[in-house]
């Protein structure tokens, strides 16, 4: 049975831990210049309905390092632009490639791709979720904490800004699964949807961590171990000027950072709109780990690809040696 990564609820907590172990191993191999061709002769189709720097480049480079090959597909160049259905496109692609990664406007397109593909489908960002990002983010925190067995009790990620976007939703679901507290400081108008909180409810009660939403930014950031933000106007969103006005009090700046702990890690999925959701001083300051986070997209992407496209490589949470044929 093929598996997909449509949202953060497709992998169990145990599987996420396996992905983190795999990412750590492939990162070590890359740093030592050791080959890690676990996807030799495999191909990945990458459909991008929206622009991308990190997702596109990290997936493409990941496939090359893993001994495979990635194809960048712009929907305007595909017959999709002339009315061929997603179903027919997907059934055709499944005959050529071993996996499909897609960045789409509507999350329904990810669900349709997954339904009609006979190969794994990976969500490279939809309007609702960005699971490759959240997996990388929590992996980065795990790495900064020196790979603990469990996240420390009370460990809290605080997201400040647009509480109703793909990155916030994915972080919330993954925190629920892994037992990390998640707090959102956002305006009432751009608050995390009840539907997302409902989705995460069972995981929060199972893992014992909590979700909190507050409109008071000072209250939100108190005791944060991680301070996270993202753009105010996600790709495909309207009303830029109105959104900017409402979100001004939720900027991550030196004043907001000073309300947190001394060692609070500052994160951003990038691209950043400097001077809007985050100031230069904070994103370039000593608490910021944004470029380690960006680098880790590559290592975590490799782990996701191995896990889904070559599951027989994953042995006892580690990697088979040598790579299976
Ligand atoms: N964070 C992220 O997904 O970046 P790109 O939009 O550049 O892919
Ligand atoms: N929320 C942002 C994330 C970009 C990686 C967007 O959807 O544009």
């Amino acid at each position: 049975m093929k598996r997909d990564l449509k949202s953060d609820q497709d992998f169990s907590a145990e599987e996420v831990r396996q992905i983190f172990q795999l990412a750590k191993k492939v990162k070590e191999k890359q740093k030592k210049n050791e080959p890690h061709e676990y996807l030799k002769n495999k191909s990945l189709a990458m459909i991008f309905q929206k622009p991308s720097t990190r997702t596109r480049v990290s997936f493409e480079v990941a496939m090359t390092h893993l001994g495979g090959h990635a194809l960048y597909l712009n929907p305007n160049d595909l017959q999709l632009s002339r009315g061929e259905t997603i179903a027919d496109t997907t059934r055709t692609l499944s005959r050529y490639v071993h996996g499909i990664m897609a960045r789409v406007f509507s999350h329904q397109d990810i669900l349709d791709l997954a339904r009609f593909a006979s190969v794994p489908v990976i969500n490279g960002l939809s309007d609702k979720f960005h699971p490759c990002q959240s997996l990388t983010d929590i992996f980065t925190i795990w790495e900064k904490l020196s790979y603990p067995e469990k996240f420390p009790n009370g460990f809290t990620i605080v997201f400040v800004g647009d509480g109703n976007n793909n990155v916030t939703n994915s972080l919330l679901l993954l925190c629920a699964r892994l037992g990390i507290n998640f707090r959102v400081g956002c305006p009432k108008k751009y608050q995390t949807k009840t539907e997302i909180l409902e989705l995460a409810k069972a995981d929060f009660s199972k893992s014992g961590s909590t979700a909190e939403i507050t409109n008071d930014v000072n209250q939100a950031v108190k005791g944060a171990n991680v301070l996270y933000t993202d753009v105010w106007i996600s790709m495909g969103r309207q009303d830029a000027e109105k959104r900017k006005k409402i979100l001004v009090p939720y900027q991550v700046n030196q004043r907001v950072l000073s309300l947190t702990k001394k060692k609070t890690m500052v994160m951003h999925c990038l691209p950043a709109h400097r001077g809007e959701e985050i100031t230069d001083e904070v994103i370039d300051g000593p608490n910021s780990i944004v470029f380690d986070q960006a680098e880790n997209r590559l290592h975590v992407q490799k782990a996701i690809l191995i896990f889904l496209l070559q599951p027989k490589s994953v042995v006892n949470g580690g990697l088979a040696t040598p790579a299976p044929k």
Side-chain angles (χ1 to χ4, degrees):
M1 252 300 260
K2 64 117 180 181
R3 301 270 310 269
D4 305 302
L5 175 58
K6 306 180 295 298
S7 87
D8 301 81
Q9 295 195 314
D10 284 318
F11 296 157
S12 67
E14 186 41 44
E15 287 171 336
V16 172
R17 283 189 268 276
Q18 281 189 22
I19 303 264
F20 287 0
Q21 292 293 350
L22 290 180
K24 178 170 180 271
K25 293 215 172 93
V26 288
K27 182 169 181 175
E28 282 160 7
K29 283 187 186 290
Q30 185 182 318
K31 298 284 170 194
K32 288 194 245 160
N33 269 327
E34 284 176 16
H36 44 288
E37 298 192 328
Y38 285 84
L39 296 182
K40 222 173 162 70
N41 300 324
K42 302 231 182 236
S43 299
L44 178 75
M46 308 194 300
I47 302 173
F48 280 95
Q49 294 178 357
K50 298 176 182 175
S52 167
T53 298
R54 280 142 289 270
T55 307
R56 177 180 174 181
V57 177
S58 60
F59 265 105
E60 192 158 337
V61 172
M63 282 304 288
T64 305
H65 287 185
L66 292 168
H69 161 248
L71 298 103
Y72 172 76
L73 303 172
N74 178 338
N76 295 329
D77 299 335
L78 295 171
Q79 294 290 10
L80 274 171
S81 63
R82 293 182 57 251
E84 188 171 17
T85 63
I86 286 207
D88 289 350
T89 306
T90 313
R91 286 191 279 234
T92 305
L93 287 176
S94 295
R95 303 287 179 111
Y96 301 139
V97 299
H98 303 87
I100 300 171
M101 192 277 288
R103 168 165 287 195
V104 299
F105 283 99
S106 163
H107 189 65
Q108 188 57 45
D109 285 356
I110 293 288
L111 301 180
D112 291 344
L113 283 166
R115 178 166 159 225
F116 294 109
S118 56
V119 296
V121 169
I122 300 170
N123 179 357
L125 181 147
S126 67
D127 56 344
K128 219 163 165 188
F129 300 114
H130 195 0
C132 296
Q133 184 67 53
S134 49
L135 282 165
T136 303
D137 298 337
I138 312 287
F139 171 79
T140 306
I141 297 167
W142 181 66
E143 184 180 51
K144 295 286 174 195
L145 297 177
S146 307
Y147 320 109
E149 191 90 354
K150 262 181 81 220
F151 284 91
N153 269 344
F155 192 86
T156 304
I157 300 180
V158 177
F159 184 99
V160 173
D162 179 5
N164 170 30
N165 79 13
N166 41 20
V167 171
T168 328
N169 291 345
S170 272
L171 283 169
L172 187 135
L173 293 190
L174 195 57
C175 283
R177 201 139 275 206
L178 299 179
I180 298 170
N181 293 337
F182 191 67
R183 200 181 303 142
V184 185
C186 62
K188 219 178 171 71
K189 192 152 177 61
Y190 306 125
Q191 207 156 289
T192 315
K193 291 256 187 292
T194 317
E195 168 205 342
I196 302 294
L197 290 165
E198 279 299 315
L199 272 180
K201 209 168 166 181
D203 276 346
F204 275 120
S205 58
K206 189 170 166 205
S207 71
S209 59
T210 56
E212 286 170 77
I213 316 280
T214 168
N215 305 132
D216 179 340
V217 68
N218 298 350
Q219 195 61 33
V221 301
K222 238 186 226 162
N225 297 95
V226 173
L227 186 53
Y228 198 119
T229 191
D230 182 14
V231 290
W232 290 341
I233 301 124
S234 285
M235 291 178 276
R237 287 259 205 248
Q238 310 295 323
D239 298 332
E241 289 317 309
K242 180 175 152 209
R243 294 180 68 86
K244 278 189 210 169
K245 269 197 204 115
I246 295 176
L247 280 152
V248 163
Y250 299 87
Q251 182 188 64
V252 171
N253 51 33
Q254 205 55 45
R255 184 196 73 79
V256 168
L257 181 63
S258 71
L259 300 174
T260 67
K261 300 176 190 221
K262 207 165 159 210
K263 290 198 172 151
T264 297
M265 297 179 246
V266 171
M267 301 182 81
H268 191 307
C269 55
L270 302 178
H273 280 209
R274 289 165 173 259
E276 285 184 15
E277 76 277 1
I278 194 161
T279 57
D280 285 333
E281 194 180 13
V282 173
I283 199 168
D284 297 328
N287 294 61
S288 171
I289 57 167
V290 299
F291 294 105
D292 292 336
Q293 183 186 356
E295 177 192 326
N296 280 338
R297 289 293 302 276
L298 173 61
H299 310 300
V300 173
Q301 240 88 269
K302 284 183 188 172
I304 294 168
L305 287 164
I306 295 170
F307 189 85
L308 291 175
L309 272 54
Q310 186 64 296
K312 63 183 176 189
S313 293
V314 186
V315 178
N316 299 329
L319 278 166
T321 319
K325 292 246 176 341

